[in-house]
Amino acid sequence: MSVAAREIEQAVEVLRAGGLVAFPTETVYGLGADASSPRALARLYEVKGRPATHPVIVHLADATQLDEWAVDVAPGARALAEQHWPGPVTLVLRRRPGVLDAVTGGQDTVGLRVPAQRSALALLRAFGGGIAAPSANRFGRVSPTTAADVRSDLGADVDLVLDDGPTRVGVESTVVDWSGTRPVLLRPGGLPREQIEEATGHRFEAGDASSPRAPGTLASHYAPMATVELHADLAALPRRARELVDEGRRVGILATKVPDGLPGAATVLAVPADADEYARVLYASLRDADHAAIDVVLAVAPPEIGIGAAVADRLRRAAATGESEGTRRA
Ligand code: TXA
Ligand code: MG
């Protein structure tokens, strides 16, 4: 599957007219709007159901556009962009005067990234300017990894959906705030921390990515409707699954191995072979759980190495949302 040149042209027209275009990136599908149009951004926030103080990432066609959006770019940040753009890493930098408050959430920083996805890059090149795009889900729901997910979340609220098949990475970009003297990891994601450390020579401190400075770091994010129970040990699943089944609850399993002794009534959602595959299938599995009316997903995270850290992070957030039952559909 690929997106035809004619569709890219159409998408550019929609963006120029202030409309919303959902497009694939290597991580998840984004909901795009012209980052220089207050009217388009207002519509984006309305459709997303997102508070106006939450910043959005501006997507660019290549790293040379960085200076059109940011000032005082630290050498390490530039090195990271040069080595890993296009790629699944977002840099939070000091914004250039003129970058709209609607993009930055009123902060003096702006999030920038160049996605490594052919249709996204074709769209960005044809459009020329920056495309502001949060993940194309309603606020608080898991991100979409297929065009069908976007349509089921946003329906007629999106003017055009570019369909280029399932996304390759499956979890959102890593967000690095390099607006100060040293970088801070705000959100683990598609580009592993280890690779950022290698590219920049900087070592992140333990505890980075834990302060809720960015909306993607709120515990109530990335939640399916089902309750997610995160277990450290695969061996605990059969007994817990049996307990829940006996209570009449529908149980889903998400782990890198199927443990022996699961009750027949439990649904195995996915058995990813490694962390990369886990990232790729994570959100689809949580969506499948909702479609199958599963009450409780019993999950075991992959080791927190490489992209496994992002998978474990999203599972923890999904598991932490029990307390915010009433708001997670917002
Ligand atoms: O992979 C991704 O990053 C996807 C695709 C579509 O690019 N986008 C995405 O966008 O996940 P969103 O809006 O769902 O999450 C963006 C994250 C949020 O945690 C946001 O707070 C952070 O990036 N962010 C963006 N600009 C920021 C800024 N100026 N300061 C602090 N955090 C920022
Ligand atoms: Mg999001």
Side-chain angles (χ1 to χ4, degrees):
M1 197 179 325
S2 83
V3 174
R6 209 185 52 79
E7 279 180 275
I8 298 288
E9 274 167 40
Q10 252 182 321
V12 168
E13 277 168 35
V14 170
L15 289 173
R16 295 219 166 107
L20 302 181
V21 174
F23 63 97
T25 77
E26 77 279 42
T27 59
V28 300
Y29 274 71
L31 181 61
D34 179 353
S36 64
S37 162
R39 195 167 55 88
L41 292 165
R43 171 120 191 273
L44 177 66
Y45 275 72
E46 188 189 313
V47 164
K48 204 35 210 179
R50 183 172 188 157
T53 51
H54 287 194
V56 286
I57 297 169
V58 176
H59 296 69
L60 305 173
D62 71 79
T64 60
Q65 287 176 306
L66 198 143
D67 299 298
E68 293 168 26
W69 295 85
V71 290
D72 302 333
V73 180
R78 207 174 282 281
L80 186 54
E82 274 162 14
Q83 285 186 53
H84 286 287
W85 281 356
V89 62
T90 295
L91 278 166
V92 172
L93 300 166
R94 298 186 65 77
R95 75 161 149 182
R96 206 175 180 87
V99 176
L100 297 173
D101 279 343
V103 164
T104 67
Q107 309 189 57
D108 58 3
T109 56
V110 62
L112 301 172
R113 95 173 185 96
V114 179
Q117 207 283 352
R118 59 191 169 176
S119 304
L121 289 172
L123 176 65
L124 284 159
R125 282 189 203 113
F127 181 64
I131 300 179
S135 50
N137 52 291
R138 302 259 182 221
F139 188 65
R141 303 282 292 131
V142 299
S143 295
T145 54
T146 66
D149 293 343
V150 175
R151 291 194 191 98
S152 89
D153 267 19
L154 300 177
D157 283 343
V158 49
D159 300 305
L160 184 67
V161 181
L162 297 179
D163 185 351
D164 200 2
T167 59
R168 181 169 56 74
V169 175
V171 293
E172 301 83 351
S173 62
T174 305
V175 181
V176 180
D177 182 346
W178 213 315
S179 60
T181 47
R182 52 172 217 97
V184 178
L185 191 63
L186 293 183
R187 177 177 75 179
L191 185 68
R193 157 201 293 252
E194 297 88 332
Q195 287 190 42
I196 298 174
E197 292 180 337
E198 199 178 305
T200 64
H202 175 86
R203 288 195 72 76
F204 292 104
E205 284 160 29
D208 275 6
S210 62
S211 62
R213 295 177 52 192
T217 67
L218 293 180
S220 63
H221 257 64
Y222 314 108
M225 301 318 291
T227 300
V228 175
E229 261 185 38
L230 194 51
H231 290 266
D233 185 5
L234 195 71
L237 299 196
R239 180 151 164 259
R240 182 63 182 139
R242 249 175 279 123
E243 259 169 32
L244 290 163
V245 166
D246 288 347
E247 289 168 13
R249 313 247 269 156
R250 296 171 79 107
V251 174
I253 302 289
L254 185 54
T256 51
K257 278 196 195 106
V258 182
D260 291 331
L262 278 183
T267 303
V268 176
L269 294 165
V271 192
D274 55 29
D276 286 324
E277 190 187 341
Y278 210 139
R280 209 152 46 233
V281 303
L282 175 66
Y283 289 148
S285 301
L286 295 177
R287 284 173 182 265
D288 287 347
D290 287 346
H291 291 142
I294 299 258
D295 300 301
V296 183
V297 176
L298 301 180
V300 178
E304 295 197 40
I305 299 162
I307 202 170
V311 174
D313 170 78
R314 302 307 189 271
L315 282 170
R316 274 195 294 272
R317 291 173 202 288
T321 50
E323 320 93 66
S324 58
E325 191 83 25
T327 54
R328 71 188 195 205
R329 272 210 150 189

